[in-house]
Amino acid sequence: MTWDIFCRVIDNYGDLGVCLRLARDLARRGEQARLWCDDLSPLAWMQPEAVPGLSCQPWDESVGAAPGDVVVETFGCELPAPFVAAMAARPVRPAWINLEYLSAESYVERSHGLKSPQFSGPGAGLDKWFFYPGFNDRTGGLLREPGLLDAVTAHHGDAWRAARGWGRRPGERVLSLFAYPQAPLAPLLEALGPGWLLLLCPGAAQSAVPALLRDGQRALALPHLTQDGYDQLLWSCDLNLVRGEDSFVRAQWAGQPMLWQIYFQDDGAHGPKLEAFLDAALAGAEDRWAANWRALSRAWNGLGPWTPACAEALRERPAAVAQARAWRAELAAQVDLTSRLQAFARRASGA
């Protein structure tokens, strides 16, 4: 099938990162994918090499293009009206799918797979279907390309970092830091204590962290990495601090302890979203460690105080690793998002 995937860049590049991973995965599975975006400039570092079967096109050039078999409207980006009209005029109407944001909240299971008939506008007569990623089999699942976990297992993190000049010193642990500008860096560094090498991804932390380092800590500023390179960074660290959605999902596949900075929302909706994820990811963990990690996650997101429990959570690496691996295994037992989306599109189109 031919897929059209539409993405708008709002204030960060996470949405584009998700869309690129989806489009690339589809192409590598033999589909034809076109990624339409209003800002393709980040692809120069995210995906500098061409991918057979994947075409990345400016958003405005979709006007006049013939729609494919499946049209994916990501994150409510609203398709161009002329393209929707062309969808409605197509002899065999495409499957129109709205790919939503990831959440562990209960509404996801209720909303996944719902149909929205279009009664007016350029798409009158079409059906739009809602596809929700998630963390169980009653949702759309998570992006996981074939062979990913085998690649994680075969990866040699110390050698990979050393080859790039990011090697650890004796006794050091290594973390990657990808955070929003409002991240509470000072209390984090205090809770970490000595013996850490911080690998700082591009962003505000690269200028803020050096002046905040405690004794026994050091930091290196990293360049922009390709998506594959960023994955390998996550596989190479003892702790990954991630944000948003794309890096958040990839860190879970790395199987290392992960601290998530959720996207802040003025209405406070990020609080319940964080708690829903923690409820799922910490299920079955030892009670004391789970309580400490929850306290750390709340503090990192400005939803709770920094207490001694936060530092204790960071010191309890064996428990953190065990839970990260158990959670990854639970997720890996499920069908991945791309496979589910392909099957969903076939059902939606009647193919």
Side-chain angles (χ1 to χ4, degrees):
M1 292 191 292
T2 300
W3 295 65
D4 288 300
I5 301 170
F6 283 81
C7 174
R8 282 196 183 276
V9 173
I10 306 301
D11 53 359
N12 295 291
Y13 297 125
D15 290 359
L16 178 57
V18 172
C19 294
L20 174 60
R21 289 190 191 275
L22 172 60
R24 186 174 58 223
D25 195 13
L26 286 165
R28 289 176 174 170
R29 297 180 191 220
E31 309 277 18
Q32 295 296 309
R34 294 187 296 187
L35 175 58
W36 305 95
C37 184
D38 60 348
D39 183 0
L40 292 169
S41 61
L43 299 187
W45 49 269
M46 282 187 185
Q47 180 64 51
E49 298 178 355
V51 177
L54 170 59
S55 173
C56 299
Q57 302 291 336
W59 178 281
D60 291 341
E61 292 185 10
S62 65
V63 177
D69 305 302
V70 185
V71 178
V72 181
E73 178 181 347
T74 64
F75 314 123
C77 65
E78 191 171 347
L79 303 181
F83 193 88
V84 176
M87 291 164 57
R90 195 174 185 263
V92 178
R93 292 179 173 182
W96 183 2
I97 299 172
N98 194 336
L99 178 65
E100 293 286 349
Y101 286 109
L102 171 65
S103 178
E105 293 168 284
S106 59
Y107 76 84
V108 168
E109 296 177 19
R110 299 192 302 271
S111 304
H112 177 61
L114 294 182
K115 179 173 68 173
S116 175
Q118 305 296 294
F119 296 110
S120 62
L126 294 174
D127 291 325
K128 182 192 293 192
W129 298 84
F130 290 89
F131 191 96
Y132 281 79
F135 300 94
N136 61 48
D137 286 326
R138 297 177 296 281
T139 69
L142 301 176
L143 283 168
R144 185 184 76 245
E145 63 272 22
L148 172 61
L149 297 186
D150 290 338
V152 176
T153 301
H155 182 72
H156 298 286
D158 282 337
W160 184 87
R161 279 186 288 93
R164 287 154 181 79
W166 309 335
R168 73 171 89 219
R169 293 173 181 170
E172 272 187 333
R173 287 173 291 174
V174 184
L175 67 80
S176 71
L177 176 58
F178 183 40
Y180 293 119
Q182 71 269 26
L185 297 171
L188 170 71
L189 295 172
E190 185 67 29
L192 281 170
W196 283 95
L197 167 61
L198 288 75
L199 300 180
L200 309 177
C201 295
Q206 288 193 344
S207 58
V209 164
L212 300 173
L213 290 171
R214 274 46 175 181
D215 290 342
Q217 298 174 351
R218 62 190 184 103
L220 296 174
L222 305 188
H224 282 294
L225 301 175
T226 64
Q227 285 195 324
D228 287 343
Y230 181 69
D231 287 345
Q232 292 169 324
L233 173 69
L234 296 173
W235 308 345
S236 303
C237 292
D238 302 303
L239 172 65
N240 292 304
L241 283 77
V242 294
R243 73 183 206 188
E245 181 166 328
D246 182 53
S247 60
F248 168 53
V249 172
R250 304 309 287 189
Q252 291 171 75
W253 295 129
Q256 296 291 351
M258 173 207 71
L259 188 58
W260 179 33
Q261 186 183 18
I262 195 168
Y263 187 83
F264 178 84
Q265 294 175 269
D266 290 335
D267 62 1
H270 57 292
K273 186 173 182 177
L274 176 66
E275 295 296 331
F277 171 71
L278 293 172
D279 288 345
L282 299 179
E286 189 272 324
D287 288 346
R288 179 180 175 83
W289 175 81
N292 289 345
W293 197 265
R294 191 181 292 269
L296 173 63
S297 297
R298 289 170 175 167
W300 180 235
N301 283 281
L303 297 169
W306 286 85
T307 66
C310 300
E312 187 174 344
L314 291 165
R315 290 193 298 267
E316 296 174 326
R317 177 167 170 77
V321 171
Q323 188 61 20
R325 301 288 166 82
W327 176 238
R328 181 178 67 180
E330 181 178 335
L331 297 175
Q334 302 170 25
V335 178
D336 67 275
L337 183 147
T338 302
S339 296
R340 298 189 203 199
L341 188 60
Q342 288 176 301
F344 187 88
R346 287 192 292 269
R347 293 194 300 271
S349 64

